[in-house]
Amino acid sequence: MKLKTAFCFVIASNFSFAAVPEDSNPVKVIINNWTSQAVLANIYGRLINSMGYKVEYAPVKSSAQWLKLKTGEVDVQVEVWEGTMSEKFNKLVGGNQALDAGTHDAKTREDWWYPEYVEEQCPGLPDWQALNKCASLFAGGKTKNKGRYVAGPWEKPDRARIRALGMNFVVDKVKKGDDLWVALKKAAEKKQPIVLFNWTPNWVEAKYKGKFVEFPEYAPECEKKSAWGVNPNFTFDCGNPKGGWLKKMTSVKMKSKWPCAYKLVNNFNFSNEMIAEVAAWVDVDNMSHNEAADKWIKQYEEKWKTWIPQECTA
């Protein structure tokens, strides 16, 4: 996909840039299949395009992006979540196969979540053991008497957790992220019990009151050492990190091939509130990812101008 030249002129008109681009090849920006990542990727792409860089957006599944970053087939990822991506991230960065491009101000959490009204039907929540005792309340579809956990389309260790904690639940994986909110809306309208994958920052917290399920506390050993935790026989007998980091990463070549674009991604920095806002423009106000990116750039010019590296301007 190419950016519109007219748009680029609008946001670039107040700047002139020295020796940019350093390389004429396009910077390939990853687009994943969840709203905030797609909007932030479009914002970043527009900003470096305004500096003179060619940009290509690369739709990539989160499970496939690691190899593509390692080989340099893609160059920039603007949202790396600690809760489910830290192992792959640390492996690539620790092996000098990708670059840590800095941390957003936003603090993350992604885990099982339920709307607040469910507490009236399942006493003891948000404790995971209380949830398990109420598993039959969440039965639906082909789950028979087992509880239904509505999972996103992304690769998560939910089945491993269910096994490790002996939970009477099955995973019902939706085809696309927006299907989570369809299921939530349908259940909420009738006050039906539902537990589903959710995360923060996310627009959902502004519309629905709810809580994350409290599993045993996370530690890195939970993912690697079966002897650690409440079940000595299996890994993943814990929840995801709370107050986790949200990082950016790039291919190894990014720093030397496009130094100014690399410095901008380091400066590129969103808070929880900022991410929730742009996600709401899409998931509540029905904007496209491109429209939301356009709106953010026009509305927050003072913010993004501080991200432009001074040494890259003429």
Side-chain angles (χ1 to χ4, degrees), residues 18 22 26 39-40 57 102 106 109 111 114 132 135 143 150 221 224 245 249 252 269 275 283-285 287 299 307:
E22 304 89 351
V39 177
L40 265 61
Y57 295 109
R109 187 173 182 183
D111 224 319
Y114 61 90
N132 201 34
T143 68
V150 185
E221 293 81 2
K224 301 175 182 178
W245 47 251
M249 68 187 304
V252 171
N269 185 9
I275 293 174
D283 292 324
V284 178
D285 299 337
M287 288 186 181
Q299 189 166 316
W307 298 341

Side-chain angles (χ1 to χ4, degrees), residues 186-306:
K186 183 178 178 180
E189 286 174 348
K190 298 179 180 180
K191 292 290 193 287
Q192 292 177 335
I194 185 172
V195 59
L196 70 158
F197 178 73
N198 195 5
W199 62 90
T200 182
N202 189 356
W203 68 269
V204 172
E205 56 202 295
K207 184 172 182 180
Y208 297 97
K209 290 184 178 180
K211 295 178 182 177
F212 287 101
V213 175
E214 297 297 343
F215 292 103
E217 287 292 320
Y218 173 83
E221 293 81 2
C222 175
E223 300 179 358
K224 301 175 182 178
K225 299 179 180 179
S226 58
W228 184 96
V230 298
N231 187 335
N233 299 313
F234 295 110
T235 54
F236 291 101
D237 50 346
C238 64
N240 287 331
K242 303 172 186 177
W245 47 251
L246 186 68
K247 283 184 172 289
K248 303 149 289 180
M249 68 187 304
T250 74
S251 61
V252 171
K253 67 181 179 181
M254 181 83 181
K255 188 174 183 178
S256 58
K257 196 169 185 178
W258 304 287
C260 287
Y262 178 76
K263 290 174 183 176
L264 193 145
V265 77
N266 271 267
N267 295 340
F268 191 76
N269 185 9
F270 279 71
S271 66
N272 287 66
E273 293 77 15
M274 292 162 68
I275 293 174
E277 182 178 42
V278 296
W281 290 345
V282 175
D283 292 324
V284 178
D285 299 337
N286 297 315
M287 288 186 181
S288 68
H289 297 148
N290 290 333
E291 289 169 341
D294 291 353
K295 179 177 179 179
W296 191 90
I297 286 174
K298 292 173 183 176
Q299 189 166 316
Y300 292 102
E301 182 177 358
E302 291 185 6
K303 170 66 71 174
W304 61 257
K305 277 187 173 180
T306 67

Side-chain angles (χ1 to χ4, degrees), residues 7-307:
F7 175 81
C8 298
F9 174 78
V10 170
I11 66 171
S13 58
N14 294 327
F15 284 100
S16 58
F17 297 95
V20 174
E22 304 89 351
D23 188 287
S24 62
N25 288 304
V27 179
K28 296 179 181 179
V29 180
I30 290 173
I31 300 284
N32 292 134
N33 61 338
W34 68 91
T35 299
S36 61
Q37 195 283 339
V39 177
L40 265 61
N42 273 275
I43 292 171
Y44 173 74
R46 281 158 165 70
L47 293 180
I48 63 168
N49 186 261
S50 76
M51 297 172 68
Y53 293 98
K54 294 179 182 177
V55 176
E56 286 186 12
Y57 295 109
V60 180
K61 291 183 178 180
S62 58
S63 59
Q65 66 189 0
W66 313 107
L67 178 60
K68 291 180 181 292
L69 280 161
K70 178 181 176 180
T71 59
E73 186 177 341
V74 294
D75 300 300
V76 182
Q77 169 56 282
V78 295
E79 271 195 30
V80 182
W81 290 64
E82 181 178 7
T84 49
M85 299 182 181
S86 60
E87 183 177 359
K88 295 291 181 72
F89 175 88
N90 291 333
K91 184 177 180 179
L92 287 187
V93 172
N96 297 317
Q97 297 169 325
L99 300 178
D100 181 342
T103 308
H104 289 282
D105 284 342
K107 299 299 181 183
T108 68
R109 187 173 182 183
E110 46 183 331
D111 224 319
W112 294 29
W113 182 95
Y114 61 90
E116 197 171 64
Y117 64 79
V118 176
E119 292 184 346
E120 298 177 4
Q121 305 167 59
C122 184
L125 286 174
D127 183 75
W128 71 272
Q129 292 171 309
L131 176 72
N132 201 34
K133 290 178 181 178
C134 298
S136 61
L137 287 175
F138 299 87
K142 299 179 181 179
T143 68
K144 297 183 179 179
N145 292 326
K146 292 190 174 185
R148 171 179 175 247
Y149 167 66
V150 185
W154 312 288
E155 295 300 320
K156 310 290 182 184
D158 295 311
R159 291 181 178 86
R161 177 186 291 171
I162 288 171
R163 180 184 65 174
L165 294 177
M167 299 184 72
N168 195 30
F169 274 81
V170 296
V171 174
D172 184 4
K173 198 171 184 178
V174 299
K175 293 183 179 180
K176 56 183 185 297
D178 287 347
D179 291 340
L180 291 169
W181 319 133
V182 173
L184 175 59
K185 181 180 179 181
K186 183 178 178 180
E189 286 174 348
K190 298 179 180 180
K191 292 290 193 287
Q192 292 177 335
I194 185 172
V195 59
L196 70 158
F197 178 73
N198 195 5
W199 62 90
T200 182
N202 189 356
W203 68 269
V204 172
E205 56 202 295
K207 184 172 182 180
Y208 297 97
K209 290 184 178 180
K211 295 178 182 177
F212 287 101
V213 175
E214 297 297 343
F215 292 103
E217 287 292 320
Y218 173 83
E221 293 81 2
C222 175
E223 300 179 358
K224 301 175 182 178
K225 299 179 180 179
S226 58
W228 184 96
V230 298
N231 187 335
N233 299 313
F234 295 110
T235 54
F236 291 101
D237 50 346
C238 64
N240 287 331
K242 303 172 186 177
W245 47 251
L246 186 68
K247 283 184 172 289
K248 303 149 289 180
M249 68 187 304
T250 74
S251 61
V252 171
K253 67 181 179 181
M254 181 83 181
K255 188 174 183 178
S256 58
K257 196 169 185 178
W258 304 287
C260 287
Y262 178 76
K263 290 174 183 176
L264 193 145
V265 77
N266 271 267
N267 295 340
F268 191 76
N269 185 9
F270 279 71
S271 66
N272 287 66
E273 293 77 15
M274 292 162 68
I275 293 174
E277 182 178 42
V278 296
W281 290 345
V282 175
D283 292 324
V284 178
D285 299 337
N286 297 315
M287 288 186 181
S288 68
H289 297 148
N290 290 333
E291 289 169 341
D294 291 353
K295 179 177 179 179
W296 191 90
I297 286 174
K298 292 173 183 176
Q299 189 166 316
Y300 292 102
E301 182 177 358
E302 291 185 6
K303 170 66 71 174
W304 61 257
K305 277 187 173 180
T306 67
W307 298 341

